Amino acid sequence: MSTKPKYQQALSAVYEELGTDEHGLQQSAASQRLEQYGPNALNQQKATSLLQKFIAQFKDFMIIVLLVAALIAAFTGEAVDAVIILLVVVLNAIFGVFQESKAEEAINALKEMSAPDATVLRDGQLQTVKSDALVPGDVVSLEAGDIVPADLRLIESASLKVEESALTGESVPVEKQAEMIADGELPIGDRLNMAYMNSNVTYGRATGIVVATGMQTEVGRIAGMIEAADETTTPLQANLTQLGKSLTILILVIAAVVFGIGMLRGQESLINMLLTAISLAVAAIPEGLPAIVTITLALGTQRMAKRHALVRKLPAVETLGSTDIIASDKTGTLTQNKMTVEKLVVNQELVDARATELPLDSHLAQVMILSNDTKIMPDGLAGDPTETALIQYNLDQGYPVDQLLTDRPRVTEVPFDSERKLMSTVHPLEDGRFLVAVKGAPDELLKRVTQIESNGDVQPLTKTSRDQILTVNHELATQALRVLAFAYKVITTVPTTVNTETLENDLVFAGMVGMIDPERPEVEQAVAEAKSAGIRPLMITGDHRDTAEAIAVRLGIINAGEDDAVITGAELDAMSDAEFGKKVGDYSVYARVAPEHKVRIVNAWQKRGKVVAMTGDGVNDAPALKAADIGIGMGITGTEVSKGASDMVLADDNFATIVVAVEEGRKVFANIQKAIQYLLSANLGEVLTLFVMTMLGWQILAPVHILWINLVTDTLPAIALGVEPTEKNIMQHKPRGRNSNFFSGGVFSSIIYQGLLEGGITLLVYWLALTYPVHATASLAHADALTMAFATLGLIQLFHAFNSKSIHESLFTVGLFRNKFFNWAILIAFVMLAMTIVVPGLNGLFHVSHLDAYQWGIVALASLSMVVIVEIVKFFQRRHMRRASPIH
């Protein structure tokens, strides 16, 4: 067996290796090979059942901590605590399963079938079979409109053009040929005698021999790379794991210290001290945190779904908010993946096509329409993208295309071929003569032109005019435009032999057209917004260097003249990983790259500690989508493979939606950070209160007090903080990056001082109640002190929820009552807290006493002081930050 790739082998060698010939296989041989090689299909990922999804939710470290706490509470008789914690855990799991299932349904609805049927030569006859029944050695027939069903080595080709953008990233269809290629190792886009699975035939016809099926195809090889890729851990997952571990250590240390000191002092029994330790554990663990994080993320996904972004994994929402790099495929993502006429050369002048109306009798417009194989279908135009662009331009100009095609039917033609790079058609005129319409490459066409038309006058083509045309052609090409030239002549009779010699001579030059796969109109603004948010956009494409650079300049990814910021796949191959790692920051545009390059680029940035988002719609994007911290697929133009590898799918293929998603991600993280600051500072206050009470031998708050405060004053306001409106200028901040966590940006210090403040104020109220009692008896005084401490600890957290609306901004700047859900949460929590004290019967259940107006006044003033003190601290923090960063 030859070690040479199939495109470097002669057909005879390919036949011999595959045991076949140009007549194809016998059905019996094909059946045997199907058993040997298996079906021509990609491996399908095994579906995950609802039960498996549900069980997977319990693998999170924080969830395991909560389950252990629930078990301890149950074994020590605190059944209510255990039940509440378990309910929170189950609620979290249900949220996760619901979101994953919902996203999977949306993705499945977007999946498109690949080539369902193929025309194959078997038993000496052409027949239609299911594409998954193809085997190596089969001979397949291709025509315009077909999807290539397997990897083929072409046997013969007639003007075949194949659109391979899903595999190579190159938007312009590739002209194919059947001859052997003797060159060395070539990228997929340059293997002109090969047609690859899932690419589209846009023009011509061909036959080819199947050389690879299923997972052995180029598409299959990429799918295999995806399967082998490691799952990345999102910043959110890493932060939650780190937080869970930190809290576990904290809980164990505090509980052990309190239990040990209590036993040494001998004031409490073993069971009572164990219950005290459990109370501390309940106070330290933010039971609602997993549910709050999940709810915040789920609400974020719903908002994004309304903006056409379908999230497959909940943490992906937050990951976008920490993104440093957005590496985007060009074709179909940054551009429209359709050729568009942009420039015209008419009457020897270069003009903007969109601002120019060609007259109805213009020969340039007529040749553009007549020398064209586009089919006008009820649902749009079908054919080669270059040709459909010419028809679409004339339709947009209001030109009567259908009428012209009816009045000037094609009587004969010289089809396009890649050697002469021309196409000619012949059409009858009203006076009995015939119009010859010719289009093709400018340099080849000019060889056959003797005259030029300018403002209706036909004059001899001078050397000056010829040089001028070639100069404009070069100028347009450097702008990455695909240039076609058009010419015509009028003949009295059609030659007996129609070929290039008899027809394509003595032509009149009519003009030129410059076309490009244009950028999406919304992308330039999206790129600018990404840059202002400190995010670096990269373009990664299989297209040519000049095209990639021109589009990147137009989009603002790079500036004009920044040639050093562009690198090709071949140049990348010449670098070692170490060298590329040092230079990766120099490049913003990667041209003519293969799938392996894309993964290498993503990995290089990740090694720098950057959070990388990769967008794309092609099969060639899938490995990088999988390797990136967040892969963003395209729902409309995206291939099934790329969608399956993505964390998020844009249902409208709109690049600008990514910027919206980034803002949503930043908002989600900021709100989770607010909730964590609020919860942990509140829990620290509770722990400090219990710890000091135990150390001083005071009567301590009971587990039911702590549980009620956690459920009522912690959970509702914390969930409400998760839906706070976006803070102004959130997109003007730099990305927080991979190394940040929930305690970054001053959150940790805020948790510490605010927790100490809460605990200190609560203990102060308890001391005041004991020192200046309302009742004379010690038992009633202690009961009042305990009740006032309970009320203060609960109410101070409700006031502190207002502080937590922003880490550093003033409450009055952020807005007191912008969040209606927050307002209701505070009101409901206050009513539920007050009910335990003022409603007869409940105070006995909660071991509290009635308070008079004087006592309530102390509780209210002490709780309100939390807002005043934090506002003063924030004021000095903002002054310090402005001095430290006067520009920002």
Side-chain angles (χ1 to χ4, degrees), residues 232-239 315-316 318-319 629 647 738:
T232 55
T233 301
T234 69
L236 177 67
Q237 291 167 326
N239 285 337
E318 182 275 335
T319 309
D629 295 284
D647 300 294
R738 186 180 299 279

Short mmCIF file of all heavy atoms in Angstrom, two decimals, residues 232-239 315-316 318-319 629 647 738:
data_model
loop_
_atom_site.label_atom_id
_atom_site.label_comp_id
_atom_site.label_asym_id
_atom_site.label_seq_id
_atom_site.Cartn_x
_atom_site.Cartn_y
_atom_site.Cartn_z
N THR A 232 -12.79 21.60 29.28
CA THR A 232 -12.17 22.68 30.03
C THR A 232 -13.02 23.03 31.26
O THR A 232 -14.23 22.86 31.25
CB THR A 232 -12.04 23.95 29.16
OG1 THR A 232 -13.33 24.29 28.63
CG2 THR A 232 -11.07 23.71 28.02
N THR A 233 -12.34 23.47 32.32
CA THR A 233 -13.03 23.90 33.53
C THR A 233 -13.28 25.39 33.43
O THR A 233 -12.35 26.17 33.21
CB THR A 233 -12.18 23.60 34.78
OG1 THR A 233 -11.95 22.19 34.83
CG2 THR A 233 -12.91 24.03 36.04
N THR A 234 -14.53 25.81 33.57
CA THR A 234 -14.85 27.23 33.44
C THR A 234 -14.37 27.98 34.67
O THR A 234 -14.23 27.40 35.75
CB THR A 234 -16.36 27.44 33.28
OG1 THR A 234 -17.00 27.12 34.52
CG2 THR A 234 -16.93 26.58 32.17
N PRO A 235 -14.14 29.29 34.53
CA PRO A 235 -13.76 30.08 35.71
C PRO A 235 -14.78 29.97 36.84
O PRO A 235 -14.43 29.93 38.01
CB PRO A 235 -13.70 31.51 35.15
CG PRO A 235 -13.37 31.33 33.70
CD PRO A 235 -14.10 30.07 33.29
N LEU A 236 -16.07 29.92 36.47
CA LEU A 236 -17.11 29.81 37.50
C LEU A 236 -16.98 28.50 38.28
O LEU A 236 -17.05 28.49 39.52
CB LEU A 236 -18.50 29.89 36.85
CG LEU A 236 -19.68 29.72 37.80
CD1 LEU A 236 -19.74 30.89 38.76
CD2 LEU A 236 -20.98 29.59 37.04
N GLN A 237 -16.79 27.38 37.55
CA GLN A 237 -16.63 26.10 38.22
C GLN A 237 -15.41 26.11 39.14
O GLN A 237 -15.46 25.60 40.27
CB GLN A 237 -16.52 24.98 37.17
CG GLN A 237 -17.81 24.75 36.40
CD GLN A 237 -17.59 23.89 35.17
OE1 GLN A 237 -16.55 23.94 34.52
NE2 GLN A 237 -18.58 23.09 34.82
N ALA A 238 -14.31 26.67 38.65
CA ALA A 238 -13.10 26.73 39.46
C ALA A 238 -13.31 27.58 40.71
O ALA A 238 -12.89 27.23 41.81
CB ALA A 238 -11.94 27.29 38.63
N ASN A 239 -14.01 28.72 40.53
CA ASN A 239 -14.25 29.61 41.67
C ASN A 239 -15.16 28.97 42.71
O ASN A 239 -14.91 29.09 43.91
CB ASN A 239 -14.88 30.92 41.18
CG ASN A 239 -13.87 31.82 40.50
OD1 ASN A 239 -12.67 31.73 40.74
ND2 ASN A 239 -14.34 32.69 39.62
N PRO A 315 -22.72 27.29 33.18
CA PRO A 315 -21.54 28.11 33.48
C PRO A 315 -21.02 28.91 32.28
O PRO A 315 -20.26 29.85 32.46
CB PRO A 315 -20.49 27.07 33.93
CG PRO A 315 -21.29 25.90 34.39
CD PRO A 315 -22.48 25.87 33.48
N ALA A 316 -21.43 28.54 31.06
CA ALA A 316 -20.96 29.25 29.87
C ALA A 316 -21.38 30.72 29.89
O ALA A 316 -20.70 31.57 29.34
CB ALA A 316 -21.48 28.57 28.60
N GLU A 318 -21.48 32.78 32.46
CA GLU A 318 -20.51 33.53 33.25
C GLU A 318 -19.15 33.57 32.58
O GLU A 318 -18.43 34.56 32.67
CB GLU A 318 -20.43 32.91 34.66
CG GLU A 318 -19.49 33.63 35.59
CD GLU A 318 -18.06 33.16 35.44
OE1 GLU A 318 -17.84 32.01 35.00
OE2 GLU A 318 -17.15 33.93 35.75
N THR A 319 -18.77 32.47 31.89
CA THR A 319 -17.45 32.40 31.26
C THR A 319 -17.27 33.54 30.26
O THR A 319 -16.19 34.12 30.15
CB THR A 319 -17.26 31.05 30.55
OG1 THR A 319 -17.58 30.00 31.44
CG2 THR A 319 -15.82 30.88 30.09
N ASP A 629 -12.28 27.99 26.11
CA ASP A 629 -13.01 28.08 27.38
C ASP A 629 -14.50 28.15 27.12
O ASP A 629 -15.30 27.64 27.91
CB ASP A 629 -12.55 29.30 28.16
CG ASP A 629 -11.09 29.17 28.57
OD1 ASP A 629 -10.81 28.43 29.52
OD2 ASP A 629 -10.23 29.81 27.92
N ASP A 647 -20.40 25.46 23.42
CA ASP A 647 -21.05 25.68 24.70
C ASP A 647 -22.28 26.56 24.53
O ASP A 647 -23.19 26.53 25.34
CB ASP A 647 -20.09 26.38 25.67
CG ASP A 647 -18.84 25.55 25.92
OD1 ASP A 647 -18.97 24.48 26.53
OD2 ASP A 647 -17.76 25.98 25.50
N ARG A 738 -8.66 34.90 33.92
CA ARG A 738 -8.75 33.56 34.51
C ARG A 738 -8.36 33.55 35.98
O ARG A 738 -8.85 32.73 36.75
CB ARG A 738 -7.84 32.61 33.72
CG ARG A 738 -7.94 31.16 34.15
CD ARG A 738 -7.02 30.30 33.31
NE ARG A 738 -7.38 30.36 31.91
CZ ARG A 738 -8.37 29.64 31.37
NH1 ARG A 738 -9.08 28.83 32.12
NH2 ARG A 738 -8.63 29.73 30.09
#
